[in-house]
Amino acid sequence: MKKVFLSIIIISMAVFYFSATQITFWYAIGGTSGEAFKEIAEEFNSINKNVKVKLVYTGSYADTAQKVTAAIATNTLPNGGIIPAGPIFTGARGNYEILDFMMNDPEFDMNDFFPAMWDYSKYNGKICAIPYNISTPILYYNKDLMREAGLDPDRPPQTWEELLQASKIVTKDINNDGIPDIWGFDTNDPVWIFKAFLRQNENLIIDTELLTPLFDTPSGIETAEFWKKLIDEKAMPEAQHSLSENLFLGGRLAFFMGSSNRIGKWQGNTDFELGVAYLPAGKVRAVPLGGAVAVLFPKKAEEDEATYQLLKWLTSPENVAKFSMKTGYLPIRKSALELPEMKHFMDENPLWKVAFEQLEFSFAYWHFDEMGAMDNFIWEALEKIERGVSSPEEAMKWLTKSLREEIEAGRE
């Protein structure tokens, strides 16, 4: 009798397990940030017995984009994921299902999200994803190096010209071998920062109606000339961006532009006094958004509903605050900033306020299929400028021509 009873229990458990809606969810968030995401997602698993989520880490943004592209070709997409350039894989293929879910859900307050983050989640001006692990570049600086150079450590550069002059003052050749041992400025993501500089110089990067690149306009060329000036006047080392983060943490770089999510890693862990500030302004202040978005790939109705419930859970104010506090990514919802625990956290970690307050000047790129190609072309153009292979004007004309041809080829 006991064996029969035990068999009934086992069968019942098996039926329960297999009757639960199972979904697969990819995520391109690694390291400690990935662990924070996984913890929040697994909590959803534990409290929703009728849904079984299989979480799959898909590697870097580039690796994930390749995997999604391959999955589209083989019809093996997951149910959803935290995906870089998500609108390219959803809206560009006519998938706006996530918007339908949100619009028909009275509990989902779209107005609670920062507007620029919705812009980051659009294709052709229409929402096709939900913002998730979003960051902006900010200016990190070494207060000790500023003091040693006779600069005010409580007044970081506010403009391009101030950045140039302060960087030149800090740059120093200690052993007199003709090569600076301490540099003024650099970034580990020159493409992202160059696009920020373009917008700060009132260049829109691309005409969204005509889908025409704008790099070779006067404002684009002027931006490239400033980039070259940073090299020529020894404010920034030539083509060493991959080393910049280590140089900064090693106390050999005064000003570093990088993702705001590094605040959590670096605050209290550097051998020098760390400062954080807005990006220095050009003609205007402008700060690009970066990161990945949450997407839904339509399958069966019950799977789509389960995926939406997971996305809704991940982007609840409480979980947005939890993820932000653990990772340094920006809170995507206004109400998350009003939670008592978030206010306390902000009081205890004042450096983080800079990234949040800088959102006032944030902008999102217009998503189009050739965005990845555009970034590759920008990287190559900057290499040419920094190494003196091309003048700033020549490089911007080459960049514009190359991207225009890529766009036209994609429309044939």
Side-chain angles (χ1 to χ4, degrees):
M1 186 68 181
K2 288 183 178 180
K3 289 183 179 180
V4 172
F5 182 68
L6 182 60
S7 297
I8 292 173
I9 292 176
I10 293 173
I11 292 171
S12 297
M13 290 177 65
V15 169
F16 172 80
Y17 178 82
F18 287 110
S19 64
T21 301
Q22 300 188 57
I23 62 173
T24 301
F25 197 84
W26 290 3
Y27 65 100
I29 312 173
T32 55
S33 296
E35 290 302 314
F37 163 79
K38 190 176 178 182
E39 179 184 326
I40 294 170
E42 287 181 341
E43 188 177 352
F44 174 86
N45 250 348
S46 67
I47 64 176
N48 288 275
K49 301 303 181 183
N50 60 333
V51 178
K52 180 68 176 176
V53 181
K54 179 183 178 182
L55 298 170
V56 179
Y57 172 58
T58 49
S60 69
Y61 283 3
D63 290 341
T64 300
Q66 289 180 354
K67 289 175 182 176
V68 174
T69 301
I72 290 172
T74 56
N75 197 29
T76 55
L77 282 168
N79 296 92
I82 307 299
I83 306 295
I88 301 300
F89 303 114
T90 53
R93 289 163 175 78
N95 171 15
Y96 293 92
E97 186 160 331
I98 189 67
L99 179 60
D100 293 335
F101 271 107
M102 292 186 291
M103 294 293 288
N104 292 316
D105 183 354
E107 296 178 349
F108 196 95
D109 185 3
M110 296 180 69
N111 292 323
D112 190 35
F113 290 72
F114 290 99
M117 295 188 182
W118 280 130
D119 290 340
Y120 194 71
S121 306
K122 293 177 179 178
Y123 186 83
N124 277 345
K126 186 177 179 180
I127 293 171
C128 52
I130 303 177
Y132 191 66
N133 57 311
I134 304 295
S135 64
T136 62
I138 58 177
L139 179 68
Y140 297 92
Y141 62 100
N142 183 322
K143 291 191 175 185
D144 295 351
L145 286 181
M146 288 189 72
R147 288 191 189 94
E148 292 171 12
L151 299 170
D152 184 349
D154 295 319
R155 194 186 183 286
Q158 299 296 308
T159 65
W160 286 8
E161 186 60 27
E162 288 184 7
L163 175 66
L164 173 65
Q165 296 306 322
S167 297
K168 288 165 60 177
I169 292 171
V170 171
T171 297
K172 186 184 301 183
D173 179 7
I174 298 174
N175 56 12
N176 296 314
D177 64 353
I179 302 173
D181 302 287
I182 296 175
W183 282 96
F185 164 70
D186 207 349
T187 174
N188 68 335
D189 196 336
V191 174
W192 199 21
I193 299 305
F194 187 72
K195 287 187 286 190
F197 282 5
L198 285 166
R199 288 295 294 263
Q200 290 174 349
N201 205 37
E202 300 182 323
N203 181 291
L204 297 178
I205 300 173
I206 191 162
D207 182 321
T208 56
E209 291 193 10
L210 301 176
L211 214 57
T212 300
L214 302 172
F215 303 106
D216 61 348
T217 61
S219 62
I221 294 170
E222 187 178 63
T223 304
E225 288 172 343
F226 175 72
W227 194 271
K228 177 62 170 171
K229 194 173 185 180
L230 289 167
I231 298 292
D232 290 345
E233 299 193 16
K234 293 194 178 300
M236 178 171 70
E238 174 190 313
Q240 294 185 32
H241 303 297
S242 63
L243 304 176
S244 61
E245 188 166 337
N246 287 336
L247 282 176
F248 182 72
L249 295 176
R252 295 168 56 199
L253 181 69
F255 305 107
F256 173 85
M257 290 185 189
S259 173
S260 55
N261 72 350
R262 283 170 172 72
I263 297 176
K265 302 175 187 176
W266 293 355
Q267 184 173 254
N269 295 316
T270 57
D271 294 329
F272 54 85
E273 187 177 0
L274 178 68
V276 174
Y278 289 6
L279 291 188
K283 293 176 182 175
V284 297
R285 285 200 183 277
V287 184
L289 296 180
V293 294
V295 302
L296 184 155
F297 297 117
K299 302 281 187 181
K300 298 177 181 178
E302 64 271 20
E303 293 179 19
D304 294 351
E305 175 64 31
T307 304
Y308 173 69
Q309 291 304 322
L310 172 61
L311 297 181
K312 185 176 176 180
W313 165 264
L314 293 172
T315 57
S316 69
E318 294 75 17
N319 283 328
V320 164
K322 184 186 298 184
F323 182 69
S324 180
M325 289 186 288
K326 287 189 175 185
T327 65
Y329 282 106
L330 297 173
I332 56 176
R333 300 186 69 153
K334 302 168 188 175
S335 60
L337 290 170
E338 299 303 316
L339 295 174
E341 59 268 34
M342 195 67 176
K343 287 184 175 181
H344 176 73
F345 179 81
M346 296 282 278
D347 290 338
E348 293 292 314
N349 300 274
L351 294 185
W352 291 49
K353 289 184 180 179
V354 171
F356 303 150
E357 292 170 350
Q358 196 180 227
L359 281 174
E360 177 184 352
F361 308 104
S362 63
F363 70 89
Y365 309 120
W366 184 268
H367 283 88
F368 59 103
D369 288 344
E370 293 77 18
M371 282 181 68
M374 176 181 72
D375 285 357
N376 290 334
F377 290 141
I378 292 175
W379 183 281
E380 191 171 344
L382 293 179
E383 280 273 316
K384 292 179 178 182
I385 291 170
E386 293 183 27
R387 297 187 183 280
V389 174
S390 300
S391 70
E393 182 174 358
E394 291 169 342
M396 291 299 98
K397 286 182 176 179
W398 172 86
L399 169 56
T400 300
K401 180 176 181 291
S402 299
L403 181 56
R404 184 185 294 118
E405 290 175 349
E406 187 82 12
I407 292 171
E408 290 173 353
R411 301 300 181 267
E412 293 177 354

